[in-house]
Amino acid sequence: MSFFDSRALHTLYSEHNGWLKGWLRARLGNASDAADLAQDTFVRVLAARNVEAIREPRTYLSAIARALMIDKFRRQAVEQAYLDVLALRPEPLDISPETRLLILETLTAVDAMLDGLGERTRRIFLAVQLEGLSYVATGERLGVSVTTVKKHMIRAMTQCLLLVDD
């Protein structure tokens, strides 16, 4: 930055910083945020390296500050949306060691049952039950008829019922 640019920036800052903070405070309702955005505005002016070309300083500064306010409001909206989604999530459950063991045993039994189904039956069962595909969509994906999908689902569901009876 040249001596003249530095001097012009100093003049711009000293003559308009107070006004810009007041302008921002009126819109934000918060002196701290206003001071932060005013500082960010002058950082943008510094980065632009066009201080001497500015003819309407307040118009120029307010345009930069307005864009920074919009960015700030967008960030706050995204942050709030994220916090709202987090607030909707259920609290993690603390389960007993006995319940944890029962869940693990059940999952192990289901895994063994799935291994015993055969490749095509297992793929059809998982597509329908885990992915939520319809019989038609499953048949199209695997290149089989809907009747074949139904037959394999009957086989898989029979094994599930046998597993439950044990």
Side-chain angles (χ1 to χ4, degrees):
M1 174 178 278
S2 74
F3 172 75
F4 295 111
D5 287 339
S6 176
R7 189 169 199 72
L9 181 62
H10 177 72
T11 302
L12 181 70
Y13 184 85
S14 62
E15 290 179 2
H16 300 286
N17 184 47
W19 168 82
L20 184 59
K21 284 182 191 177
W23 186 85
L24 287 164
R25 189 174 36 253
R27 280 149 185 79
L28 296 171
N30 181 323
S32 177
D33 287 344
D36 287 345
L37 282 181
Q39 189 67 30
D40 290 345
T41 300
F42 283 103
V43 168
R44 290 266 175 107
V45 171
L46 178 63
R49 298 178 184 247
N50 63 348
V51 179
E52 295 212 10
I54 299 171
R55 298 293 169 234
E56 297 289 330
R58 290 187 176 186
T59 303
Y60 184 75
L61 292 172
S62 62
I64 293 172
R66 189 174 291 113
L68 290 171
M69 274 194 305
I70 291 169
D71 289 346
K72 178 181 178 54
F73 293 147
R74 283 184 185 147
R75 267 192 319 278
Q76 286 175 336
V78 169
E79 288 172 8
Q80 189 58 52
Y82 176 73
L83 292 174
D84 291 345
V85 168
L86 282 180
L88 293 175
R89 292 184 69 185
E91 290 293 321
L93 297 176
D94 201 20
I95 59 174
S96 69
E98 294 82 16
T99 303
R100 184 180 313 269
L101 180 61
L102 183 61
I103 290 170
L104 290 174
E105 286 175 349
T106 303
L107 287 173
T108 303
V110 169
D111 183 52
M113 183 270 304
L114 287 173
D115 278 346
L117 287 179
E119 179 66 25
R120 180 179 281 175
T121 304
R122 180 174 49 255
R123 289 180 66 197
I124 289 171
F125 179 78
L126 292 174
V128 171
Q129 293 299 312
L130 289 181
E131 296 179 45
L133 294 180
S134 67
Y135 286 10
V136 173
T138 301
E140 288 173 358
R141 177 193 279 181
L142 300 175
V144 297
S145 68
V146 173
T147 304
T148 301
V149 171
K150 287 179 183 178
K151 185 170 57 173
H152 284 281
M153 282 301 295
I154 289 169
R155 189 175 303 147
M157 293 305 268
T158 301
Q159 290 301 315
C160 288
L161 289 173
L162 292 173
L163 182 64
V164 171
D165 284 344
D166 288 342

